[in-house]
Amino acid sequence: MPDLLLELFSEEIPARMQAQAADALKKLVTDALVERGLLYEGAKAFVTPRRLALAVHGLPGRQADQREEKKGPRVGAPEQAVAGFLKAAGLASLDQATIQSDPKKGDFYVAVVEKPGRATTEVVAEIVPDIIRKFPWPKSMRWGSGTLRWVRPLHSIVATFGAEGDEPEVVHFSVDGIEASNVTRGHRFMAPEPFTVKRLDDWMAKLEAAKVVADRDRRKEIILNDAKDLALAAGLELVEDEGLLDEVCGLVEWPVVLMGSFEARFLDIPDEVIRATIRANQKCFVLKDPKTGRLANRFILISNLVASDGGKAIVAGNERVIRARLSDAKFFWDTDRLNGLASRMPKFQSITFHEKLGSQAERIERIVRLAKDLAPKVGAPVALVEEAALVAKADLLTEVVGEFPELQGLMGRYYAQGENLSPEVAAACEEHYKPQGPNDRVPTAPVSVAVALADKIDTLVGFWAIDEKPTGSKDPYALRRAALGVIRIVLENGLRLGLREALVEAYLYILRFMQHDDIIVFLNQKDGGFGSIFSKYAELEDVKIDFDLSREVAVCRDPKERDTFNLAILTYNRSGSFGAGYEQLRTLPAPEKLALDLLAFFADRLKVYLRDRGARHDLVDAVFALEGQDDLLLVVRRVEALAAFLATEDGKNLLAGYRRAVNILRIEEKKDGRAFAGPTVAALLKEPAEEHLAAAIDDVKARVSKAVAAEDFEAAMTALSDLRQPVDAFFDAVTVNDADPALRENRLKLLDEIRAATRGIADFDRIEG
């Protein structure tokens, strides 16, 4: 069967766009072919810096003929209906239609429309220009006087179609004056002359001869293998970098691996700074000395041509640039070490973290307070945690991190070590950012854990407070990552941490830092103005008023209004009394409401985390639905025990019995317009099966409660399994909807007791399957 070859030859395509463009071209073309009935055997996309190509194998030479029957109106129908039928079917008269009989509807007209298939080349010529014009580049441009938008100026198009052994034909079409042909070009410098190509194998062979490796994966393989060989010959090891390999592969069509060097004096700079400097500025790989484990003063660069001097001038040019960049990096490194981390802290007061959440200095103070609260819960010394939290962000204002933001945290560790701060504090400077992704390691040192949790919880609570939550695929503040980081830190360290309390405390710290020039008071929804606000609320029971004259901040909390607070600014005249000014700013969630919302978000993230490990998401829902479930470690243990129980025969049968009980309850409650809540009346238990079930429920409730309190969830499940037999026996022997209203009500309450017994473990209503 014939094959299609398509090549779009242009100026250099940015490396970061190449892989996505190749995937897009393959999908757009093959989807369009299939939509038009042209099925294929296989397809592969190719991309180099100057060309985007696609080969589609095993296409038919033309579309299949189509035969379609269109049912028309009944014989004798009005002329208007007949005319519409003829027009829709493309018939000149009724003589071209046939008449079919239907026993129920009578005779009606039928048009048989036969549509011959089109040649594949015609279809390709129709779909490709439209795909080119609408191609989804992240950024595109126009050039000259044309209207076509492409990532860079498009020079030529190759489009051939034909079977192996035959001379393929050119698929004729044009896009913005560019005519499709069978002519392409090779390497910009080493083989710039045009040449003709036929099909995929011929195209790849001639490109290879013209110093172009068309296959992206093969270019990567050449670069990696040659770089390793060159390093090995020098007695060194290549520091592999998949991201850099992808990038340099997109910069060359004919990779040539060369080695350069720099002065050994630059090795005083941390390895990570050297690597970042060389990588960012020259897209070069660094080499490691296997004897010392440190970087060597050599680097690998990838050229795009075979130079007549063996690459000496290319190497010298790269060495010159790298020498200058490393000189800058050494200056930054030396300058940063002259000033201690603590000296940078005052500068954070003038740096805004977020306009609604205050300065970076205020955020750091919140993190310090929260980390100190968390320290005893994670087994960390409070003094070390406070010290670490104070300086953990200091490296953000260093010269090295300003040049290479990806080194934040790591440089904090280096600077802290240079100042002889304790190892725990130095480690926390780096590790409090972790984990930054699903494959990143989790901090395990208690000091690092406390600061990391405080940092992430403050971020989550802060943006929740100002209603900047993730929506759909948008998460500009990486809140999903922060929540998953908290989950991983807690679970992988086996921490017992009540999240609700931590979230509320973090929120109260944030409230106090919302403003610092005026007084902040949180009024309930019912208040209509300022007046004697403090005296008014002081009379309310359980009102908490925090007032700090040094910060001119007051937080007034009314427990009777639990959903929202109104944020207002009150004028303070600095003489100990309040003025009459009142300005409504915005509504903020109450601490309890915010904590519940965030716990639901954590539940969603926990489902994702556990699902990746084979757990059922509905069981997470079932456990989280119970009130007070904010200990992630216990939630996971409970989910695991519940999953194991439901996998047994007892678990499956009990779940079936539970659903039967709940379904009956719901039907009867809807019918009566009321709820049937236990306990039952013992005197109304007439049948042995219901007496046995009531006794079993009381016993199981007590055992489950005791086991859960002891955090022995296996024992709780064992107790729950003892309900299976009495539940089955009850439904076999007892009629729930008895004619006696009192018996019926009591038995419905008994069904509710089944639900109550299972709720000691989870909300079985949320269990699927």
Side-chain angles (χ1 to χ4, degrees), residues 660-666 668 676 687 690 693 727 730-752 754:
R660 184 176 178 184
V662 169
N663 287 337
I664 294 172
L665 257 180
R666 287 173 179 162
E668 300 307 313
F676 294 96
E687 300 289 341
E690 59 183 328
L693 176 58
V727 167
F730 173 83
F731 284 119
D732 288 341
V734 178
T735 301
V736 175
N737 288 316
D738 194 89
D740 184 338
L743 288 181
R744 172 178 174 270
E745 178 177 347
N746 204 53
R747 287 169 182 173
L748 288 172
K749 287 182 177 180
L750 188 58
L751 297 186
D752 180 68
I754 297 174

Side-chain angles (χ1 to χ4, degrees), residues 223-523:
I223 293 169
L224 186 59
N225 291 338
D226 287 359
K228 286 182 176 180
D229 291 344
L230 194 57
L232 184 62
L236 303 172
E237 293 179 1
L238 177 72
V239 178
E240 296 188 34
D241 187 330
E242 185 64 28
L244 181 58
L245 180 60
D246 279 335
E247 186 172 7
V248 296
C249 175
L251 298 174
V252 297
E253 289 192 319
W254 189 258
V256 177
V257 177
L258 303 170
M259 180 181 289
S261 63
F262 54 87
E263 289 88 337
R265 63 187 177 90
F266 291 125
L267 294 177
D268 292 340
I269 307 170
D271 287 356
E272 294 82 0
V273 179
I274 295 174
R275 182 178 179 183
T277 301
I278 293 176
R279 185 188 198 279
N281 291 289
Q282 291 304 105
K283 314 301 180 191
C284 295
F285 296 87
V286 293
L287 300 172
K288 182 173 64 175
D289 186 340
K291 297 176 183 177
T292 65
R294 290 285 312 275
L295 292 187
N297 62 326
R298 302 286 185 88
F299 62 89
I300 293 287
L301 64 97
I302 312 301
S303 171
N304 190 33
L305 55 81
V306 179
S308 58
D309 64 352
K312 291 181 181 178
I314 296 172
V315 170
N318 278 268
E319 288 177 341
R320 187 165 54 252
V321 175
I322 286 175
R323 185 180 304 114
R325 298 305 184 205
L326 287 177
S327 294
D328 291 343
K330 182 170 175 54
F331 173 77
F332 294 152
W333 167 245
D334 292 340
T335 301
D336 287 341
R337 289 184 296 167
L338 290 176
N339 304 307
L341 292 174
S343 68
R344 293 177 166 80
M345 302 309 297
K347 296 180 182 179
F348 281 118
Q349 295 176 2
S350 59
I351 299 175
T352 300
F353 171 65
H354 188 282
E355 61 178 354
K356 295 181 181 179
L357 294 173
S359 68
Q360 283 281 13
E362 291 171 334
R363 169 164 153 75
I364 290 170
E365 189 170 344
R366 294 197 302 266
I367 292 173
V368 170
R369 291 190 182 197
L370 186 57
K372 288 168 64 179
D373 289 343
L374 293 171
K377 301 172 185 177
V378 301
V382 174
L384 285 179
V385 167
E386 181 177 14
E387 183 182 5
L390 274 171
V391 300
K393 302 290 184 185
D395 70 333
L396 295 176
L397 297 181
T398 61
E399 299 290 344
V400 171
V401 174
E403 184 73 13
F404 303 110
E406 67 273 18
L407 296 182
Q408 68 178 23
L410 175 65
M411 297 312 299
R413 176 196 279 266
Y414 279 125
Y415 295 133
Q417 289 172 339
E419 294 179 28
N420 294 319
L421 299 183
S422 69
E424 294 89 347
V425 171
C429 288
E430 177 185 9
E431 294 177 345
H432 80 281
Y433 289 108
K434 296 181 178 297
Q436 292 188 322
N439 299 319
D440 195 13
R441 65 184 178 87
V442 167
T444 56
V447 173
S448 299
V449 167
V451 181
L453 286 173
D455 183 28
K456 291 168 177 58
I457 290 173
D458 177 81
T459 298
L460 285 161
V461 172
F463 286 108
W464 233 255
I466 62 174
D467 200 26
E468 291 283 357
K469 305 171 187 176
T471 56
S473 60
K474 295 183 179 179
D475 187 9
Y477 302 109
L479 301 183
R480 292 187 180 96
R481 186 176 71 186
L484 188 57
V486 171
I487 290 169
R488 288 189 59 198
I489 290 172
V490 169
L491 297 184
E492 295 180 31
N493 283 289
L495 296 178
R496 301 297 308 279
L497 180 66
L499 264 184
R500 187 191 307 270
E501 180 184 352
L503 297 176
V504 169
E505 286 302 314
Y507 187 37
L508 292 180
Y509 290 144
I510 287 171
L511 296 182
R512 298 180 184 185
F513 286 94
M514 284 286 191
Q515 288 280 340
H516 52 191
D517 295 326
D518 301 297
I519 291 176
I520 295 177
V521 177
F522 289 88
L523 312 172

Side-chain angles (χ1 to χ4, degrees), residues 386-688:
E386 181 177 14
E387 183 182 5
L390 274 171
V391 300
K393 302 290 184 185
D395 70 333
L396 295 176
L397 297 181
T398 61
E399 299 290 344
V400 171
V401 174
E403 184 73 13
F404 303 110
E406 67 273 18
L407 296 182
Q408 68 178 23
L410 175 65
M411 297 312 299
R413 176 196 279 266
Y414 279 125
Y415 295 133
Q417 289 172 339
E419 294 179 28
N420 294 319
L421 299 183
S422 69
E424 294 89 347
V425 171
C429 288
E430 177 185 9
E431 294 177 345
H432 80 281
Y433 289 108
K434 296 181 178 297
Q436 292 188 322
N439 299 319
D440 195 13
R441 65 184 178 87
V442 167
T444 56
V447 173
S448 299
V449 167
V451 181
L453 286 173
D455 183 28
K456 291 168 177 58
I457 290 173
D458 177 81
T459 298
L460 285 161
V461 172
F463 286 108
W464 233 255
I466 62 174
D467 200 26
E468 291 283 357
K469 305 171 187 176
T471 56
S473 60
K474 295 183 179 179
D475 187 9
Y477 302 109
L479 301 183
R480 292 187 180 96
R481 186 176 71 186
L484 188 57
V486 171
I487 290 169
R488 288 189 59 198
I489 290 172
V490 169
L491 297 184
E492 295 180 31
N493 283 289
L495 296 178
R496 301 297 308 279
L497 180 66
L499 264 184
R500 187 191 307 270
E501 180 184 352
L503 297 176
V504 169
E505 286 302 314
Y507 187 37
L508 292 180
Y509 290 144
I510 287 171
L511 296 182
R512 298 180 184 185
F513 286 94
M514 284 286 191
Q515 288 280 340
H516 52 191
D517 295 326
D518 301 297
I519 291 176
I520 295 177
V521 177
F522 289 88
L523 312 172
N524 74 9
Q525 295 278 38
K526 301 172 185 177
D527 188 83
F530 173 53
S532 54
I533 180 70
F534 281 98
S535 61
K536 175 181 176 182
Y537 279 124
E539 295 172 359
L540 295 176
E541 184 180 359
D542 294 330
V543 166
K544 177 181 179 182
I545 298 177
D546 294 331
F547 182 56
D548 183 352
L549 283 177
S550 65
R551 293 195 54 81
E552 300 180 1
V553 170
V555 177
C556 180
R557 301 179 58 217
D558 178 2
K560 296 182 179 180
E561 190 66 45
R562 304 186 64 84
D563 288 340
T564 57
F565 286 140
N566 287 331
L567 174 62
I569 296 180
L570 306 182
T571 304
Y572 180 62
N573 63 17
R574 302 183 182 277
S575 63
S577 61
F578 297 94
Y582 173 87
E583 180 186 356
Q584 176 78 25
L585 293 184
R586 60 186 180 273
T587 299
L588 293 171
E592 296 81 4
K593 179 68 164 54
L594 179 137
L596 288 175
D597 286 347
L598 254 177
L599 283 174
F601 182 67
F602 273 105
D604 287 339
R605 294 298 92 201
L606 182 61
K607 282 190 287 187
V608 173
Y609 175 81
L610 294 178
R611 184 177 60 208
D612 292 342
R613 286 153 182 76
R616 289 170 49 178
H617 68 87
D618 57 322
L619 302 189
V620 179
D621 279 339
V623 172
F624 252 111
L626 301 183
E627 186 176 353
Q629 298 303 308
D630 66 340
D631 187 325
L632 297 179
L633 190 63
L634 283 189
V635 167
V636 172
R637 289 177 181 172
R638 191 177 291 212
V639 167
E640 291 171 347
L642 182 58
F645 172 62
L646 293 175
T648 66
E649 202 63 31
D650 282 343
K652 294 174 184 176
N653 288 336
L654 179 60
L655 181 60
Y658 171 87
R659 286 180 174 153
R660 184 176 178 184
V662 169
N663 287 337
I664 294 172
L665 257 180
R666 287 173 179 162
I667 292 170
E668 300 307 313
E669 286 177 341
K670 184 177 180 181
K671 184 190 302 181
D672 291 11
R674 56 164 293 196
F676 294 96
T680 57
V681 178
L684 294 176
L685 299 172
K686 301 297 184 183
E687 300 289 341

Side-chain angles (χ1 to χ4, degrees), residues 130-301:
D130 189 56
I131 289 172
I132 293 174
R133 291 189 185 95
K134 298 177 181 177
F135 199 81
W137 292 109
K139 291 184 179 180
S140 59
M141 62 179 292
R142 287 194 299 110
W143 59 96
S145 58
T147 59
L148 176 66
R149 298 193 68 90
W150 198 247
V151 62
R152 294 290 185 270
L154 185 63
H155 291 313
S156 66
I157 301 172
V158 168
T160 66
F161 183 74
E164 188 175 355
D166 295 338
E167 186 69 21
E169 61 178 302
V170 174
V171 182
H172 292 288
F173 60 86
S174 67
V175 180
D176 209 37
I178 303 171
E179 295 284 342
S181 69
N182 60 352
V183 178
T184 189
R185 294 174 183 270
H187 193 281
R188 179 185 288 276
F189 304 111
M190 294 190 290
E193 297 303 317
F195 54 87
T196 61
V197 295
K198 296 181 179 180
R199 56 184 59 81
L200 176 63
D201 53 354
D202 178 63
W203 175 76
M204 293 190 72
K206 288 182 176 178
L207 280 180
E208 191 94 11
K211 305 301 182 184
V212 174
V213 179
D215 191 312
R216 177 182 176 84
D217 290 336
R218 185 161 170 265
R219 289 202 307 279
K220 289 174 63 175
E221 185 180 345
I222 291 171
I223 293 169
L224 186 59
N225 291 338
D226 287 359
K228 286 182 176 180
D229 291 344
L230 194 57
L232 184 62
L236 303 172
E237 293 179 1
L238 177 72
V239 178
E240 296 188 34
D241 187 330
E242 185 64 28
L244 181 58
L245 180 60
D246 279 335
E247 186 172 7
V248 296
C249 175
L251 298 174
V252 297
E253 289 192 319
W254 189 258
V256 177
V257 177
L258 303 170
M259 180 181 289
S261 63
F262 54 87
E263 289 88 337
R265 63 187 177 90
F266 291 125
L267 294 177
D268 292 340
I269 307 170
D271 287 356
E272 294 82 0
V273 179
I274 295 174
R275 182 178 179 183
T277 301
I278 293 176
R279 185 188 198 279
N281 291 289
Q282 291 304 105
K283 314 301 180 191
C284 295
F285 296 87
V286 293
L287 300 172
K288 182 173 64 175
D289 186 340
K291 297 176 183 177
T292 65
R294 290 285 312 275
L295 292 187
N297 62 326
R298 302 286 185 88
F299 62 89
I300 293 287
L301 64 97

